[in-house]
Amino acid sequence: GAVVSQHPSRVICKSGTSVKIECRSLDFQATTMFWYRQFPKQSLMLMATSNEGSKATYEQGVEKDKFLINHASLTLSTLTVTSAHPEDSSFYICSARYRDATEAFFGQGTRLTVV
Amino acid sequence: GESVGLHLPTLSVQEGDNSIINCAYSNSASDYFIWYKQESGKGPQFIIDIRSNMDKRQGQRVTVLLNKTVKHLSLQIAATQPGDSAVYFCAENTGFSGGYNKLIFGAGTRLAVHP
């Protein structure tokens, strides 16, 4: 099956710094990528959807200037958490889909801890 | 700090029994549904999907039932095994057939299988 690789799997950063998370589709072209955030014992909350070459569409309540998403190529999307604070500590997960394919493939997630 | 949020409901079953996990979805316009399994610290893993023009679909040991009238989805796991222990999420796709296409997750259910 299709593979989506997310990096890093864990990251600890200091409050006020920025962190970049990468999401790569290894064996298919990801025309659409989704970014989710998951707090402990909760569901995945969609943050934004990005189509290759276009600006990301953010869900209501998600600050686009704080969570910068770049989808510059068909195999790579990045999420940058700017000026991170402890409340941004969470599990961030990306998923990727090819065109009108039904299935979205998920990365293994990134555990972000802001201290 | 720790987020305060909903705790996932838990379904406890004996090994070998059948499990039924339920999900209520929100959007009557959703046209594609997926069940995912998530193990601790990992991204969601695809189990089975169903389109809105169907009411039942079977896979290996799993069956998904869709009731559009009451916007209800269920996942049946036959002969539940310890390896099935995980959190299960239903997800609804809105706009698959055209328009804005995104995948929204339900609240999730923790399945605990006891030997």
Side-chain angles (χ1 to χ4, degrees), chain B residues 25-70:
Chain B
Y25 63 94
S26 57
N27 192 340
S28 57
S30 293
D31 47 16
Y32 174 60
F33 305 87
I34 313 104
W35 279 100
Y36 287 96
K37 173 186 180 182
Q38 187 182 30
E39 297 175 323
S40 182
K42 297 183 180 179
Q45 176 186 355
F46 174 91
I47 300 174
I48 192 168
D49 59 359
I50 189 169
R51 298 195 186 193
S52 59
N53 60 354
M54 303 172 67
D55 52 22
K56 180 179 180 179
R57 189 156 188 240
Q58 287 184 290
Q60 187 178 14
R61 279 204 308 122
V62 294
T63 301
V64 55
L65 299 177
L66 173 62
N67 185 331
K68 295 183 290 295
T69 302
V70 295

Side-chain angles (χ1 to χ4, degrees), chain A residues 30-80:
Chain A
T31 49
T32 303
M33 283 194 175
F34 305 91
W35 285 95
Y36 294 85
R37 180 169 53 184
Q38 185 178 31
F39 292 111
K41 298 184 179 180
Q42 294 189 29
S43 186
L44 285 73
M45 299 301 296
L46 181 64
M47 300 174 67
T49 302
S50 72
N51 293 302
E52 186 264 338
S54 302
K55 288 185 178 180
T57 301
Y58 290 80
E59 294 299 302
Q60 191 173 10
V62 178
E63 300 174 57
K64 62 180 181 180
D65 294 330
K66 180 169 182 62
F67 299 100
L68 301 179
I69 292 172
N70 184 287
H71 190 173
S73 80
L74 285 170
T75 58
L76 174 65
S77 177
T78 61
L79 168 67
T80 302

Side-chain angles (χ1 to χ4, degrees), chain A residues 14-42:
Chain A
K14 291 184 178 180
S15 186
T17 62
S18 296
V19 174
K20 180 183 286 188
I21 302 169
E22 293 187 347
C23 180
R24 294 181 184 274
S25 58
L26 299 187
D27 50 4
F28 70 102
Q29 294 182 329
T31 49
T32 303
M33 283 194 175
F34 305 91
W35 285 95
Y36 294 85
R37 180 169 53 184
Q38 185 178 31
F39 292 111
K41 298 184 179 180
Q42 294 189 29

Side-chain angles (χ1 to χ4, degrees), chain A residues 32 34 36 38-46 48-49 51 57-59 86-87 89 91 93 95 97 99-109 111, chain B residues 1-8 32 34 36 38-46 49 51 87 89-90 93 96 100-108 110:
Chain A
T32 303
F34 305 91
Y36 294 85
Q38 185 178 31
F39 292 111
K41 298 184 179 180
Q42 294 189 29
S43 186
L44 285 73
M45 299 301 296
L46 181 64
T49 302
N51 293 302
T57 301
Y58 290 80
E59 294 299 302
E87 56 265 31
S89 298
F91 193 53
I93 306 170
S95 73
R97 171 183 278 165
R99 295 190 186 278
D100 295 331
T102 55
E103 189 173 346
F105 300 94
F106 283 80
Q108 63 268 51
R111 173 74 61 194
Chain B
E2 183 179 1
S3 298
V4 176
L6 296 173
H7 285 257
L8 296 170
Y32 174 60
I34 313 104
Y36 287 96
Q38 187 182 30
E39 297 175 323
S40 182
K42 297 183 180 179
Q45 176 186 355
F46 174 91
D49 59 359
R51 298 195 186 193
V87 177
F89 294 99
C90 68
N93 189 101
F96 172 70
Y100 186 48
N101 192 350
K102 60 181 181 180
L103 196 62
I104 303 297
F105 279 73
R110 180 176 300 281

